[in-house]
Amino acid sequence: MSLPGGAWDGGPAVGDLGEFGLIARIRERIPPAPAASGVVLGPGDDAALLEVPPGWDLVLTCDIQIEDRHFRRRWMSPREAGARAAAVNLSDVAAMGGVPTAALVSLGLPPALPIAAVDAMCEGIVSELGRHGATLAGGNISASDAIILDVTVAGRVERGRALRRSGARPGDTVLVTGHPGRAAAALATLDAAGDLWERLAASGPAPAPAPELRERFRRHLAAPSPRVAVGRFLAENAVASAAIDQSDGLTGDLAHIAEESGVRILLGRSFLPIDPELAALGPLVGVDPLDWVLGASDDYEMIFTAPAGKVDLALALGTALGIAVTPIGAVVAGPPGVDVLDADGAPIAAREGWDHLGRGRAPEGPPRDGRN
Amino acid sequence: MSLPGGAWDGGPAVGDLGEFGLIARIRERIPPAPAASGVVLGPGDDAALLEVPPGWDLVLTCDIQIEDRHFRRRWMSPREAGARAAAVNLSDVAAMGGVPTAALVSLGLPPALPIAAVDAMCEGIVSELGRHGATLAGGNISASDAIILDVTVAGRVERGRALRRSGARPGDTVLVTGHPGRAAAALATLDAAGDLWERLAASGPAPAPAPELRERFRRHLAAPSPRVAVGRFLAENAVASAAIDQSDGLTGDLAHIAEESGVRILLGRSFLPIDPELAALGPLVGVDPLDWVLGASDDYEMIFTAPAGKVDLALALGTALGIAVTPIGAVVAGPPGVDVLDADGAPIAAREGWDHLGRGRAPEGPPRDGRN
């Protein structure tokens, strides 16, 4: 399949350039830090320096991407790998309601990796950060067998406004942006032959030709959009009582909110937003689309709870940003956990979130990360 | 050789516990954050929250440690691996003159790794951070083939007081703490038979029995002491015009100061502090001890420059802290670079710093990191 954003092969390798040559090359490609980022000192010293304005707290998160664990060269371009490594961290800052400002990256690079691929990875990191007002402020490079991109993103949030996992209360409504499950469906179909996409184009709601359909699915996995604007709206307007970004899967991530808030969460099966293309694809590959929607899938959508008086504002946000925002359930008192209920109110067993260290995972299993 | 701090083998493995079980286990082992760390929200959410007091800037750095690139299980205990991963980052905060406050860690763990080894690694991280007033505020865990510890350390420094690489000026004195080269010597002798240590005990200045000598050398590599107190003294008293921590090697690191400051640095061969044990060991293994002192070695000593009026204060610092502080050279005008001069003023060719991506490195070559 064609991967926009550069190739993994060809040209001189990073081992020929050497570490400090490579660092100098990367530094040249970083645009000046935007003033609003608060970066006082960027790359080129022992550490970066950032200004955090009075009245704001620093938001800090890190998440690692390892080749063949979290992505494969076969289905992700170097530029996408870089952008995605930034995006999954920007998503965590978004889930706190923060403004992303600066990032560091630890790069592990096989010495035989082409310099052009590293250029493209760094362009991906820098451009994804830049889309959200943040800048690359430092990092380090090591040789390694597999490609490693470990990005730390810093941001800021008004003191007391951060969206925590622990604030959900009985009576709150549970909402989600976008269409969770797309990434899982994309992963499940990465090796699918062209005829699957032709059958989907024929049977499904999508008007696109087969190659475009296939590429659209691949990008659900390879190019997530962190919901930074959503997080900022929720924080600035005190809309959300709790929030988390969807990186383990809808029920798995909601289980974290349930645990940290000490509440039970009920999801209505009929309320769940199911992407029409997923609904059409499921039967073609023998999968219940609901498994994708509820189970392990890292779409980096925003999952949040809102008190009754704020739900209208949350829905208006979706309209304003052109993003689907769907009420999918309710917070109730009870032992921490998540139940999915069918139309009759009968519980469908809640699925567990992805366990990244579990030994039972399939070799091609969905690459997921967990936070502590 | 005996490795204090736990074993790499035995007992249940992390793959049996699972990711979230492991995260819960680690969280239980983190003591409450000290109030001075400014940690508003620690592990358990999408990101950590830190307060940075008005008038201070945030210091932020990250550095990755990869098994068999930066350490080997054969010569480092799990506890030491954790402590060292924290220490190399604390060292970067020290080199900025900062107060370390909080850390995140990305852990890459082979599923077969014993839980006890992860416990010990985390104890190492937490205790090393705690020694310097900092706390573990978050992170993430992934499965990986090799053990990966990528630590991000945050700290704070009074605005305008940070020690940068770019401030060295002609006329400044170059100083270094401790005895650079010990880590390189330790690495070179890790596989040495017991008789080497007996010969060193017989010929050298050390009174210790051979096994203790051997262990002392191993710890030069496995258990560096970040110079946090030194960095704070230099920043608070405006002693240093420039600083860097010694992670690539004395000449390699000074080359960074020379480049960023636009100056030339002259080192006097006879001024260099040579550990008497290194001086005795060199001839026994056919190495010029000067190669260890000047070349690639990550001892995490502090290298800094001070204007003439501040040198006495820098030397008093050493006395106060019980750490050797040695003037080793001078900053002059000239093209950026480092020259080592013998007693007659004749230049000995400056050695390059370690290039971590260079293909020519020996398989057992010193594991080094570079910063950008």
Side-chain angles (χ1 to χ4, degrees):
Chain A
M1 100 188 58
S2 106
L3 296 176
W8 289 105
D9 302 311
V14 293
D16 300 326
L17 187 56
E19 177 190 355
F20 293 112
L22 192 57
I23 288 175
R25 187 181 175 92
I26 293 172
R27 281 177 65 183
E28 282 169 12
R29 284 164 163 70
I30 303 175
S37 69
V39 172
V40 176
L41 183 65
D45 217 302
D46 293 289
L49 296 175
L50 270 74
E51 189 176 341
V52 180
W56 296 66
D57 283 332
L58 180 84
V59 182
L60 198 61
T61 188
C62 67
D63 214 6
I64 198 167
Q65 301 283 305
I66 306 173
E67 179 185 7
D68 290 340
R69 296 277 177 185
H70 301 82
F71 67 93
R72 295 182 191 277
R73 299 189 199 189
R74 182 165 52 77
W75 51 258
M76 196 178 290
S77 73
R79 195 176 203 283
E80 286 171 337
R84 193 173 191 279
V88 302
N89 282 286
L90 291 163
S91 179
D92 278 318
V93 173
M96 301 301 290
V99 179
T101 55
L104 308 178
V105 60
S106 288
L107 281 178
L109 302 175
L113 192 70
I115 295 168
V118 180
D119 286 348
M121 281 198 293
C122 292
E123 279 168 23
I125 294 172
V126 168
S127 67
E128 183 68 19
L129 291 171
R131 284 207 311 137
H132 298 281
T135 185
L136 189 60
N140 65 93
I141 299 177
S142 285
S144 64
D145 294 329
I147 298 171
I148 299 170
L149 299 112
D150 190 18
V151 175
T152 296
V153 171
R156 61 170 181 262
V157 66
E158 298 88 344
R159 188 156 301 147
R161 289 271 185 187
L163 311 176
R164 302 189 182 193
R165 295 180 180 178
S166 55
R169 296 292 172 260
D172 289 354
T173 297
V174 181
L175 301 104
V176 68
T177 63
H179 295 87
R182 284 171 162 177
L187 192 67
T189 56
L190 271 177
D191 287 322
D195 74 322
L196 172 69
W197 305 103
E198 284 153 23
R199 282 186 289 142
L200 179 59
S203 72
E212 285 177 27
L213 263 180
R214 180 179 180 165
E215 172 63 8
R216 192 151 71 207
F217 267 77
R218 191 190 65 80
R219 288 184 61 82
H220 287 332
L221 182 66
S225 286
R227 299 303 189 189
V228 175
V230 173
R232 284 304 295 154
F233 181 93
L234 298 180
E236 285 180 331
N237 298 286
V239 171
S241 51
I244 190 170
D245 69 322
Q246 182 237 339
S247 58
D248 287 323
L250 194 54
T251 54
D253 289 311
L254 276 169
H256 291 310
I257 287 186
E259 285 158 17
E260 299 292 334
S261 297
V263 296
R264 194 145 192 96
I265 287 174
L266 308 181
L267 299 185
R269 185 202 189 296
S270 59
F271 300 152
L272 296 170
I274 303 187
D275 181 331
E277 285 181 1
L278 255 62
L281 179 69
L284 296 180
V285 296
V287 171
D288 182 347
L290 203 63
D291 289 346
W292 289 326
V293 175
L294 291 172
S297 181
D298 53 347
D299 302 88
Y300 299 96
E301 295 296 349
M302 183 79 83
I303 307 171
F304 61 101
T305 59
K310 296 285 190 173
V311 174
D312 284 352
L313 200 52
L315 297 176
L317 156 72
T319 308
L321 294 179
I323 296 170
V325 175
T326 311
I328 57 173
V331 180
V332 297
V338 182
D339 293 308
V340 185
L341 308 178
D342 67 15
D344 301 324
I348 305 169
R351 288 155 184 83
E352 293 301 311
W354 180 257
D355 186 335
H356 204 177
L357 287 167
R359 287 177 163 181
R361 67 198 282 266
E364 276 284 358
R368 303 288 178 272
D369 252 318
R371 328 261 339 141
N372 81 351
Chain B
M1 98 188 57
S2 107
L3 295 177
W8 290 105
D9 302 311
V14 293
D16 300 326
L17 187 56
E19 177 190 355
F20 293 111
L22 191 58
I23 288 175
R25 188 180 175 92
I26 293 172
R27 282 177 65 182
E28 282 168 13
R29 286 165 161 71
I30 303 174
S37 68
V39 171
V40 176
L41 183 66
D45 217 302
D46 294 290
L49 296 175
L50 271 74
E51 188 175 342
V52 180
W56 296 67
D57 283 332
L58 180 85
V59 182
L60 198 61
T61 187
C62 67
D63 216 6
I64 198 166
Q65 302 282 307
I66 306 173
E67 179 185 6
D68 290 340
R69 296 278 176 183
H70 302 84
F71 67 92
R72 294 182 191 277
R73 300 190 199 188
R74 183 165 52 76
W75 50 259
M76 196 178 290
S77 73
R79 195 176 204 282
E80 287 171 338
R84 193 173 192 277
V88 302
N89 282 286
L90 290 163
S91 179
D92 278 316
V93 173
M96 301 301 289
V99 180
T101 55
L104 308 179
V105 60
S106 289
L107 283 178
L109 303 175
L113 193 70
I115 295 168
V118 181
D119 285 348
M121 281 200 292
C122 291
E123 279 169 24
I125 294 173
V126 167
S127 67
E128 183 69 19
L129 291 171
R131 284 208 310 137
H132 298 282
T135 187
L136 189 58
N140 65 93
I141 299 178
S142 286
S144 64
D145 294 329
I147 297 170
I148 300 170
L149 300 112
D150 190 18
V151 176
T152 296
V153 172
R156 61 169 181 262
V157 65
E158 299 88 344
R159 188 155 302 147
R161 289 272 185 188
L163 311 175
R164 302 188 181 194
R165 296 180 179 178
S166 55
R169 297 291 173 261
D172 289 354
T173 297
V174 181
L175 300 104
V176 68
T177 62
H179 295 88
R182 284 170 161 179
L187 191 68
T189 57
L190 272 177
D191 287 321
D195 74 320
L196 172 69
W197 305 103
E198 285 153 22
R199 283 187 288 144
L200 179 59
S203 72
E212 286 178 26
L213 261 181
R214 181 180 178 166
E215 172 62 8
R216 191 151 72 207
F217 267 77
R218 191 190 65 80
R219 288 185 60 82
H220 289 331
L221 182 65
S225 287
R227 299 305 190 188
V228 175
V230 174
R232 285 303 296 155
F233 181 93
L234 298 180
E236 285 179 329
N237 298 286
V239 172
S241 51
I244 189 170
D245 69 322
Q246 182 236 338
S247 58
D248 288 323
L250 194 54
T251 54
D253 289 312
L254 276 169
H256 292 310
I257 288 187
E259 285 159 16
E260 298 292 333
S261 298
V263 297
R264 196 146 192 95
I265 287 174
L266 308 180
L267 298 184
R269 183 201 190 296
S270 59
F271 299 151
L272 296 171
I274 303 187
D275 180 329
E277 286 182 359
L278 255 63
L281 178 69
L284 296 180
V285 296
V287 171
D288 182 347
L290 204 63
D291 290 346
W292 289 327
V293 175
L294 292 172
S297 182
D298 52 348
D299 303 270
Y300 300 96
E301 296 294 350
M302 184 80 82
I303 308 170
F304 61 101
T305 59
K310 298 285 190 173
V311 174
D312 284 352
L313 199 52
L315 297 176
L317 157 73
T319 308
L321 294 180
I323 296 170
V325 175
T326 311
I328 57 173
V331 180
V332 297
V338 182
D339 293 309
V340 186
L341 308 178
D342 68 15
D344 301 324
I348 305 166
R351 288 156 184 83
E352 294 300 312
W354 178 257
D355 186 334
H356 206 181
L357 286 166
R359 287 177 164 181
R361 66 197 283 265
E364 277 284 358
R368 302 288 179 272
D369 252 318
R371 326 261 340 141
N372 77 352

